[in-house]
């Protein structure tokens, strides 16, 4: 086990609990994503690992069995990519990338060799001598990554590394970042609020909510077997389904659906891609709205749950608003989750 | 262009204002190189007075330059770290401290000098040395350095830049030297020129603190007005001008540069 956090919590001076007691184990070479809405404690956890925040008493941070809880940030040998990149405007691209090596008191030739190596790896050759202010957002992001990676850190930490970019560039750089991190072969933890980003880059995703890790697992596991309503809603936008469940039957306003197993007392969720329009199905719903999205229609349906349920409909035409349509849902695609107490 | 009466009126006012500002300056400068001021320029032009001023007061000029440079060193050593500390820890206490540092701006130099005399007047050696005047100058110019550096530091995300440097292994003194100082440089430069200019021109406080053996440039100027013939005093003004105008120009340039960084 490379990195191991035990009982890590953070309470701010004003009493705000940013992070509840958290345990996390990260294996060598693994890429972990901390995913959650803003204010869920993901950045706080990352900053504690970096040494930029002090955890509450009782926390224990181990790296290969060695306790580094009390080691200050400059001695932790962690690379950090900041949301704003925090590149030094008084230095060139080379100067930024070489700064960490200079702090390790390496010789000039060693620094130059390593800087060249990293510049090539991150494909920054054309910009090496430029000043930071002459770079685009995407180039700055690569320089920030190169700078964090150059001193051969034990751990690479990335705080929302793509959120400062515009949407079009973000998709492209997401794949590039995933590929670069793999080629580095480094243990990395990155924070994001974007589930696509987390799924595309990480080996395992830790979903966080209200200062806690609610579930951690591979992207597939989180998507297919969420353990809580929050994870189901956050990953893949699952929607509650049905009025109520009795034994193995789910009741809707006008019809019922047989479930594979008794599920009384549980809450059912379904994703838009598992809701199909099928005229032969006895399950009926009323069309509330139709949105054309190019590859498919997104249709809001009334009558399947207290809230509208969306269906993704791939066809050349769509029903009209107000039509009553048949809906087919594969019972196996329905996620059965323990009912959560509604917040008052 | 000047067809409308309103435009003509504007032009006339502008020219009048310029004349109001420039004529005394030119007249004073001219007096410094006129053989006999009371007979006018017709008496001929000469560098005699300037040479005489140099002979009489070159000590004052060098003292002023030395004082200004010493004052600059002190304000750099005290002011830059102080500005950094204030910018890094914003809050009520910092604002109060900033106001406190700025107090000498609001208090007349004479009052400041009196306080210094009351406090240190008994220490004869100190009282007689040039460092006594230096203390006054540092007190008076420090707020300019602190504010100038602070305004530049406030415009950059210092905290994150420092965190970046720390994550790369830089201990706090390297972060200050490698990140804070270079990025604050435009503010430091603007502050430095202000400090030097103010120190060279300071009269109020210096006049109270000076001894007959320690006359700075402006104090010497007052002395020459009081006791020398008018041509010598005017020649003195001319020398003063020649020193202070390039400094003022450099200051404007540095301030413009600092503002470009901040925008």
């Amino acid at each position: 086990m490379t990195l191991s956090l035990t009982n890590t919590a953070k309470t701010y001076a004003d009493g705000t609990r940013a992070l509840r007691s958290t345990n996390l184990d990260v294996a060598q070479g693994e890429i972990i994503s901390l995913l959650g809405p803003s204010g869920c404690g993901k950045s706080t956890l990352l900053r504690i690992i970096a040494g930029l925040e002090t955890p509450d008493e009782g926390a224990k941070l181990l790296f290969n069995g060695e306790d580094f809880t009390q080691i200050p940030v400059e001695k932790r040998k962690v690379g950090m990519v900041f949301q704003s990149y925090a590149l030094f405007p008084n230095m060139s691209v080379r100067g930024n990338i070489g700064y960490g090596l200079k702090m390790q008191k390496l010789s000039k030739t060693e620094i130059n060799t390593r800087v060249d190596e990293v510049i090539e790896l991150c494909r920054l050759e054309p910009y090496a001598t430029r000043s930071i202010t002459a770079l685009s957002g995407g180039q700055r992001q690569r320089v920030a990554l190169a700078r964090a990676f150059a001193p051969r850190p034990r751990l690479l930490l990335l705080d929302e590394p793509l959120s400062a970019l515009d949407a079009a560039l973000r998709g492209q750089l997401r794949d590039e970042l995933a590929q670069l991190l793999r080629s580095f072969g480094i243990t990395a933890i990155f924070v994001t609020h974007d589930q696509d980003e987390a799924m595309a880059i990480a080996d395992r995703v830790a979903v966080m909510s209200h200062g806690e890790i609610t579930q951690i697992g591979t992207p597939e596991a989180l998507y297919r077997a969420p353990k809580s309503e929050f994870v189901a809603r956050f990953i893949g936008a699952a929607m509650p389904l049905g009025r109520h469940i009795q034994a193995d039957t789910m009741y809707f306003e006008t019809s019922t659906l047989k479930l594979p197993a008794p599920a009384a007392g549980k809450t059912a969720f379904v994703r838009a891609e598992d809701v199909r329009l099928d005229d032969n199905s006895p399950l009926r719903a009323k069309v509330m709205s139709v949105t054309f999205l190019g590859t498919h229609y997104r249709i809001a349906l009334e009558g399947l749950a207290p809230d509208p349920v969306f269906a993704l409909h791939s066809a050349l035409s769509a029903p009209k608003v107000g039509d009553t349509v048949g809906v087919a849902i594969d019972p196996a695609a329905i996620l059965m989750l323990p009912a959560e107490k509604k917040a008052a | 262009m000047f067809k409308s009466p309103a435009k003509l009126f504007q032009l006339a006012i502008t020219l009048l204002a310029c004349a109001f500002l420039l004529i005394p300056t030119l007249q004073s400068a001219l007096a410094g190189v006129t053989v006999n001021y009371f007979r006018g320029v017709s008496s001929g032009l000469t560098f005699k007075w300037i040479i005489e001023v140099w002979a009489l007061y070159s000590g004052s000029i060098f003292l002023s330059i030395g004082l200004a440079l010493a004052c600059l060193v002190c304000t750099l050593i005290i002011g830059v770290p102080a500005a950094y500390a204030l910018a890094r820890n914003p809050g009520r206490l910092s604002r109060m401290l900033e106001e406190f540092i700025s107090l000498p701006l609001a208090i007349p130099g004479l009052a400041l000098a009196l306080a210094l005399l009351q406090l240190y007047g008994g220490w004869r050696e100190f009282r007689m040395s040039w460092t006594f005047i230096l203390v006054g100058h540092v007190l008076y110019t420090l707020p300019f350095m602190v504010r100038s550096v602070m305004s530049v530091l406030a415009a950059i995300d210092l905290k994150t830049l420092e965190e970046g440097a720390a994550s790369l292994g830089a201990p706090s003194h390297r972060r200050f030297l490698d990140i804070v100082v270079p990025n604050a440089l435009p503010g430091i430069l603007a502050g430095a020129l202000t400090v030097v200019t103010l120190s060279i021109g300071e009269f109020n406080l210096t006049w109270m603190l000076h001894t007959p053996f320690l006359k700075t440039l402006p104090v010497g100027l007052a002395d020459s007005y009081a006791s020398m013939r008018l041509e010598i005093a005017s020649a003195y003004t001319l020398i003063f001008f020649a020193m202070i105008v390039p400094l003022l120009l450099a200051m404007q340039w540095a301030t413009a540069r600092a503002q470009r960084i901040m925008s």
Side-chain angles (χ1 to χ4, degrees):
Chain A
M1 200 55 69
T2 299
L3 176 71
S4 163
L5 309 184
T6 321
N7 191 24
T8 307
K10 176 75 189 177
T11 312
Y12 284 107
D14 63 358
T16 321
R17 295 209 67 183
L19 188 69
R20 290 165 197 280
S21 177
T22 299
N23 300 319
L24 179 68
D25 288 315
V26 183
Q28 174 68 43
E30 195 177 24
I31 300 175
I32 292 268
S33 165
L34 304 177
L35 173 67
S38 61
C40 71
K42 56 192 192 299
S43 284
T44 306
L45 181 54
L46 192 81
R47 289 174 62 83
I48 288 174
I49 299 170
L52 297 170
E53 302 278 358
T54 333
D56 294 349
E57 202 74 28
K60 200 165 183 187
L61 287 71
L62 299 178
F63 194 92
N64 287 338
E66 169 202 339
D67 190 334
F68 68 96
T69 320
Q70 303 298 330
I71 307 276
V73 48
E74 60 263 30
K75 297 204 174 102
R76 284 201 182 182
K77 291 188 194 147
V78 292
M80 177 112 176
V81 176
F82 293 82
Q83 189 171 1
S84 61
Y85 308 141
L87 297 173
F88 309 136
N90 55 311
M91 297 177 199
S92 68
V93 169
R94 280 196 81 91
N96 268 277
I97 297 175
Y99 188 73
L101 301 163
K102 211 168 99 185
M103 289 305 112
Q104 292 180 348
K105 300 202 167 62
L106 299 181
S107 75
K108 272 234 164 62
T109 38
E110 277 175 292
I111 293 178
N112 278 328
T113 320
R114 178 67 179 155
V115 169
D116 285 335
E117 207 177 292
V118 176
I119 281 180
E120 200 194 322
L121 196 60
C122 298
R123 295 193 306 284
L124 284 164
E125 293 99 332
Y127 320 108
T129 55
R130 284 209 198 159
S131 89
I132 294 305
T133 43
L135 298 180
S136 73
Q139 290 158 0
R140 283 179 202 211
Q141 199 258 334
R142 287 218 295 273
V143 175
L145 187 65
R147 183 181 75 174
F149 178 64
R152 296 194 171 86
R154 304 189 289 188
L155 191 64
L156 196 56
L157 306 171
L158 305 100
D159 189 4
E160 305 248 7
L162 299 170
S163 66
L165 304 168
D166 54 66
L169 201 57
R170 208 180 303 153
Q172 182 199 335
L173 285 181
R174 184 183 69 202
D175 301 339
E176 194 179 291
L177 181 64
Q179 186 218 325
L180 269 177
L181 287 179
R182 302 265 168 236
S183 69
F184 290 172
I186 196 172
T187 311
I189 301 178
F190 85 98
V191 156
T192 179
H193 62 267
D194 182 314
Q195 56 137 325
D196 293 335
E197 217 172 284
M199 306 263 242
I201 301 178
D203 297 313
R204 280 197 301 154
V205 177
V207 181
M208 294 186 70
S209 149
H210 296 107
E212 281 180 309
I213 294 181
T214 53
Q215 192 176 348
I216 182 163
T218 61
E220 290 89 345
L222 288 174
Y223 191 84
R224 294 191 187 132
K227 283 190 190 135
S228 66
E229 186 180 328
F230 177 80
V231 176
R233 282 176 185 272
F234 201 75
I235 309 264
M239 303 160 287
L241 184 70
R243 290 276 164 188
H244 68 279
I245 297 170
Q246 226 163 34
D248 61 350
T249 310
M250 180 185 288
Y251 291 85
F252 298 97
E253 249 163 51
T254 53
S255 51
T256 58
L257 185 71
K258 202 92 179 140
L259 297 173
K266 292 193 171 176
T267 320
F269 284 85
V270 73
R271 292 207 172 86
E273 58 264 40
D274 296 320
V275 180
R276 281 186 302 112
L277 298 193
D278 181 354
D279 285 337
N280 302 321
S281 171
L283 190 57
R284 311 303 285 179
K286 199 171 144 199
V287 175
M288 288 172 74
S289 72
V290 176
T291 316
F292 179 56
L293 293 168
T295 54
H296 57 262
Y297 293 92
R298 189 163 182 266
I299 297 171
L301 299 166
E302 194 182 35
L304 298 175
D307 293 323
V309 168
F310 290 93
L312 300 187
H313 180 56
S314 304
L316 290 177
S317 65
K320 289 190 178 53
V321 174
D323 286 358
T324 299
V325 292
V327 178
I329 297 169
D330 177 6
I334 296 174
L335 305 163
M336 285 299 172
L337 298 171
E340 271 172 35
K341 275 174 257 148
K342 287 270 176 290
Chain B
M1 190 177 167
F2 299 115
K3 291 222 172 95
S4 76
K7 286 268 181 202
L8 272 174
F9 183 67
Q10 278 180 17
L11 182 72
I13 294 285
T14 312
L15 287 177
L16 262 173
C18 288
F20 184 71
L21 290 169
L22 282 174
I23 288 176
T25 318
L26 286 174
Q27 200 180 12
S28 174
L30 202 61
V33 288
T34 308
V35 174
N36 187 326
Y37 179 70
F38 295 101
R39 279 173 37 215
V41 185
S42 58
S43 62
L45 297 176
T46 175
F47 282 117
K48 180 170 87 177
W49 308 123
I50 291 179
I51 294 162
E52 200 158 323
V53 168
W54 189 259
L56 283 168
Y57 290 104
S58 61
S60 290
I61 292 170
F62 290 122
L63 176 67
S64 266
I65 293 173
L67 255 177
L69 291 178
C71 182
L72 174 61
V73 171
C74 291
T75 49
L76 282 176
I77 292 173
I78 306 168
V80 178
Y84 166 67
L86 289 174
R88 200 69 172 74
N89 307 293
R92 199 144 48 140
L93 193 67
S94 290
R95 269 208 304 282
M96 273 166 61
L97 263 172
E98 196 194 331
E99 291 304 319
F100 185 71
I101 293 176
S102 305
L103 264 182
L105 290 182
I107 296 173
L110 289 173
L112 208 62
L114 191 65
L116 285 176
L117 282 170
Q118 280 172 336
L119 187 59
Y120 301 118
W123 303 6
R124 227 188 96 83
E125 288 297 307
F126 180 44
R127 168 75 187 87
M128 302 299 288
S129 105
W130 64 277
T131 50
F132 191 52
I133 300 176
L134 177 66
V135 169
H137 279 207
V138 170
L139 265 180
Y140 175 62
T141 54
L142 191 62
F144 293 93
M145 178 62 87
V146 172
R147 290 194 158 204
S148 174
V149 176
M150 268 185 84
S151 61
V152 172
L153 289 182
I156 52 182
D157 186 2
L158 200 60
K159 183 167 170 276
T160 317
L161 283 183
E162 275 202 73
E163 285 181 352
S167 74
L168 292 165
S172 57
H173 71 277
R174 292 305 306 248
R175 303 202 282 267
F176 183 72
L177 291 177
D178 294 344
I179 309 301
V180 179
V181 171
N183 285 303
L185 211 54
I188 295 176
L189 194 61
L193 285 160
T194 313
V195 164
V196 169
T197 314
L198 284 177
S199 169
I200 288 183
E202 211 298 318
F203 175 72
N204 257 326
L205 201 149
T206 323
W207 186 74
M208 281 286 277
L209 298 180
H210 87 279
T211 68
F213 307 102
L214 288 170
K215 280 188 210 139
T216 65
L217 211 56
V219 173
L221 197 62
D223 185 78
S224 73
Y225 285 175
S227 55
M228 302 282 165
R229 50 185 299 171
L230 197 58
E231 291 85 350
I232 292 192
S234 301
Y236 200 133
T237 314
L238 207 55
I239 291 180
F240 191 76
F241 255 38
M243 286 181 61
I244 215 83
V245 168
L247 272 171
L248 279 173
L249 288 176
M251 194 164 95
Q252 284 220 325
W253 169 81
T255 315
R257 223 178 82 113
Q259 266 158 6
R260 238 192 359 259
I261 300 268
M262 281 186 275
S263 61

